Amino acid sequence: MTPQNESVGACGVVLMHGAGTGDKARNLPFAEDFAAHGHPAVALDFSGHGESTGELPALSLRRRRDQAAAVIDAAFGAERPLMLVGFSMSGQTVADLLDVYGERVAAIVLCAPGIYGRDAWDVPFGAGFTELIRRPESWRDSRALDTYARFTGRALLVVPEQDTVIPDAVTELLHTALATRADFTALTLVGADHQLGTWLADRPQARRDIISTLLRPRSPADATSEG
């Protein structure tokens, strides 16, 4: 989405859906909202989802990162700062992209995010991935936790009131990691479940609340704390 009036220092916003039946269509209203605030935005379909080509069983976390990076490089100039928005499985993809783009990433939004163990990262979804991630607490050694603990930009963790997919312990680990160095805020969406992309698509006020929280000016106290 291209804004009619681009904000000064506008970021390129990348919205990434989760697994299963996720697709970019549910994120298009969110992309439009970011564009209305002056930030160019793109929502993508990973292979095997939505309008994409490719087969879902051949997709992996590594390929998700690579596909998202290809979209970023095609959509935005190399100097444009980025905001990364990830739903569910893309909680891992956002972290993987942070390792690629580093300080270019100004802000992240994690919506009901999941993370995954290191040994599952390069395994195709149709070739043993499910069995690996079903091992109890396999997510505890995810690289994402170290990556998020190093992040110093703005971070927003958005969780539903009821989530029967993501274990509470995962959310707690992410909360701790993001609070280490980032300008961090956590939001709970009352009445929402794990399918936050679908839930938010029908609730413009909730989307506006997330964007306003993300884009709020930094206070003098914030700047002072950074030295």
Side-chain angles (χ1 to χ4, degrees):
M1 305 290 174
T2 302
Q4 290 186 348
N5 297 295
E6 187 170 303
S7 299
V8 176
C11 293
V13 182
V14 186
L15 296 108
M16 294 166 282
H17 63 74
T21 60
D23 61 29
K24 70 179 181 183
R26 64 188 62 178
N27 290 333
L28 292 178
F30 217 171
E32 292 171 354
D33 292 342
F34 276 105
H37 282 79
H39 297 270
V42 60
L44 66 134
D45 279 327
F46 292 104
S47 63
H49 293 267
E51 299 176 355
S52 71
T53 58
E55 298 295 330
L56 183 58
L59 190 61
S60 66
L61 293 170
R62 177 196 285 272
R63 292 193 66 198
R64 276 173 138 261
R65 180 203 64 184
D66 293 345
Q67 290 171 12
V71 170
I72 290 169
D73 294 344
F76 304 121
E79 302 303 316
R80 186 182 288 279
L82 302 171
M83 293 183 188
L84 306 178
V85 183
F87 290 81
S88 193
M89 180 176 277
S90 286
Q92 179 71 47
T93 309
V94 169
D96 295 337
L97 291 169
L98 276 172
D99 289 336
V100 174
Y101 293 102
E103 293 183 359
R104 224 183 117 186
V105 180
I108 60 175
V109 183
L110 304 179
C111 299
I115 53 175
Y116 301 89
R118 297 169 193 239
D119 59 355
W121 188 73
D122 205 24
V123 177
F125 293 166
F129 176 82
T130 300
E131 291 75 16
L132 286 172
I133 67 171
R134 283 180 176 171
R135 290 180 305 161
E137 301 191 353
S138 60
W139 30 264
R140 286 196 179 275
D141 78 333
S142 174
R143 290 188 182 93
L145 294 170
D146 291 337
T147 299
Y148 287 139
R150 293 191 299 268
F151 182 60
T152 58
R154 178 156 292 169
L156 184 56
L157 176 62
V158 182
V159 296
E161 184 178 23
Q162 298 290 333
D163 195 333
T164 60
V165 176
I166 303 299
D168 290 343
V170 169
T171 303
E172 291 166 5
L173 284 174
L174 285 167
H175 190 291
T176 299
L178 292 166
T180 303
R181 299 185 66 193
D183 175 10
F184 172 62
T185 305
L187 293 178
T188 298
L189 300 181
V190 177
D193 60 16
H194 181 72
Q195 300 297 329
L196 281 186
T198 301
W199 192 87
L200 286 168
D202 296 329
R203 291 168 173 81
Q205 184 58 55
R207 299 196 307 270
R208 286 194 291 269
D209 290 345
I210 290 172
I211 292 174
S212 64
T213 300
L214 188 67
L215 300 182
R216 63 172 171 76
R218 302 198 77 166
S219 69
D222 292 334
T224 301
S225 67
E226 293 184 353

